[in-house]
Amino acid sequence: MQRTTPLIEVTDLRKAYAGRPAVDGVSFTVEEGEIFGILGPNGAGKTTTVECVEGLRVPDSGTVRVAGLDPVTDREEVTRLLGSQLQESELQPKILVREALELYAALYPNPADWRALAERLGLVDKLATRFAKLSGGQKQRLSIALALIGNPRAVVLDELTTGLDPRARRDTWKLIEDVRDSGVTVLLVTHFMEEAQRLCDRIAVIDKGRVAAMDSPAGLIRRSAGSTVITFVPSRPLDNADLVALPEVATVDHKGDQVTLTGTDATVNAVITLLAQKRVTARQLRVVDATLDDAFLDLTEEHESATPGRAA
């Protein structure tokens, strides 16, 4: 089977400000047609990384390629291939939505039909509305439209849902999925774990300027200390040594009468067997898969302790 070339390739990317590394050897690839997430806390180096991809910053070292092109030296070609929604961007307050769409369309040789984009993104009834009068969710819809108006092969969405209420955030997630389904590759920057878990095909977890882990959301969760959480209240106390000895147990915690274990599916089966053997009834039994939050905390703690010269 012939291997396709990734649409975006970042290799050993490094960028420092005043001698302090912001991005310290980041490498990843983005395949055509996927939603690739860059996940990390504020200040991790996420935005600097994608600004190098967009050609807005020049790397100190390393290489960045978009469809084989250098975003700095081949800037004009890359801007036609790559749409961008910046982390912090505002339009002139009095500009109408229609005027913004027409203006951006005029910047490209073969723009998308801005009217069709407005309809697709639910902006038709806001075309005569000034930017300052739009809600947060409507501004984000307009940001997506402006990022797509050049008919790009890929789009960078940086912290797109920050500041939105839960309903607007979920509406925006659906729009992002629709963008991918239309054939546009998405590079999504976020610090929302639920957002990354819901949307991304693969994720690079960036911590302190370095890639701590890279995998699918499910793969990252499986790599966490305990991919399954089991809580219950036993009808009578269990010997802690019996719980610790269960297969693939990561942690055992007692809070009052409640017992909480983290482990795997094998741990769940072993708990049920132990309860039957001991003739103990489990009240309020819950078995919950770990989330990306759990995986992120485990992975960044491991990365921090394994990184030479960094405080643990």
Side-chain angles (χ1 to χ4, degrees):
M1 182 177 180
Q2 186 176 5
R3 184 176 176 179
T4 58
T5 301
L7 184 57
I8 298 172
E9 296 180 90
V10 176
T11 306
D12 199 25
L13 179 66
R14 298 178 188 273
K15 181 69 177 178
Y17 302 110
R20 183 174 181 177
V23 178
D24 193 9
V26 165
S27 298
F28 62 86
T29 60
V30 181
E31 303 296 332
E32 191 141 18
E34 72 174 337
I35 299 179
F36 185 92
I38 296 182
L39 175 65
N42 291 330
K46 306 185 302 297
T47 293
T48 296
T49 297
V50 297
E51 286 179 345
C52 290
V53 172
E54 294 163 319
L56 299 176
R57 294 192 186 275
V58 179
D60 294 337
S61 63
T63 60
V64 179
R65 295 291 182 268
V66 177
L69 301 170
D70 185 319
V72 177
T73 60
D74 303 312
R75 182 170 179 77
E76 184 175 346
E77 294 93 331
V78 170
T79 56
R80 295 178 183 178
L81 294 171
L82 189 68
S84 299
Q85 172 269 326
L86 302 179
Q87 184 179 26
E88 295 183 10
S89 59
E90 289 285 320
L91 297 178
Q92 201 277 338
K94 293 185 178 180
I95 193 170
L96 303 180
V97 170
R98 178 195 302 273
E99 293 171 337
L101 291 167
E102 290 176 335
L103 174 63
Y104 274 62
L107 300 175
Y108 295 93
N110 297 297
D113 182 349
W114 64 262
R115 298 168 188 81
L117 274 177
E119 183 174 355
R120 177 177 159 197
L121 295 172
L123 291 170
V124 171
D125 61 346
K126 297 296 177 181
L127 290 176
T129 302
R130 299 190 187 281
F131 180 78
K133 297 294 184 181
L134 298 176
S135 69
Q138 290 161 354
K139 288 180 179 179
Q140 297 300 55
R141 288 171 180 266
L142 179 57
S143 292
I144 295 174
L146 297 179
L148 294 175
I149 209 160
N151 274 323
R153 287 174 63 185
V155 63
V156 177
L157 304 176
D158 190 356
E159 305 284 8
L160 184 65
T161 61
T162 297
L164 298 185
D165 63 58
R167 181 176 296 279
R169 181 173 294 136
R170 280 164 175 74
D171 289 344
T172 303
W173 292 351
K174 180 62 169 63
L175 291 175
I176 295 171
E177 290 173 327
D178 289 344
V179 168
R180 187 268 309 277
D181 292 344
S182 71
V184 179
T185 301
V186 178
L187 178 55
L188 177 69
V189 181
T190 184
H191 62 263
F192 291 117
M193 306 298 162
E194 184 183 1
E195 181 167 288
Q197 187 169 350
R198 156 80 181 265
L199 294 175
C200 297
D201 298 298
R202 291 188 301 131
I203 298 169
V205 177
I206 294 185
D207 185 39
K208 293 182 173 63
R210 297 185 179 184
V211 175
M214 187 160 50
D215 207 334
S216 66
L220 292 174
I221 291 170
R222 284 194 299 269
R223 290 164 61 175
S224 66
S227 59
T228 304
V229 181
I230 309 136
T231 60
F232 62 95
V233 176
S235 56
R236 57 184 177 82
L238 291 166
D239 189 331
N240 192 66
D242 290 336
L243 296 171
V244 172
L246 292 173
E248 300 184 27
V249 164
T251 63
V252 177
D253 182 57
H254 298 268
K255 187 174 183 179
D257 294 332
Q258 186 181 72
V259 177
T260 301
L261 301 93
T262 60
T264 66
D265 289 342
T267 312
V268 177
N269 294 329
V271 167
I272 293 171
T273 300
L274 177 66
L275 292 170
Q277 290 174 344
K278 300 293 185 180
R279 299 182 182 277
V280 173
T281 301
R283 299 191 300 272
Q284 302 172 32
L285 176 64
R286 294 185 63 202
V287 179
V288 180
D289 288 337
T291 65
L292 199 56
D293 280 286
D294 303 309
F296 178 79
L297 291 173
D298 287 338
L299 290 166
T300 53
E301 285 173 2
E302 289 174 6
H303 177 250
E304 196 168 300
S305 63
T307 302
R310 297 186 185 272

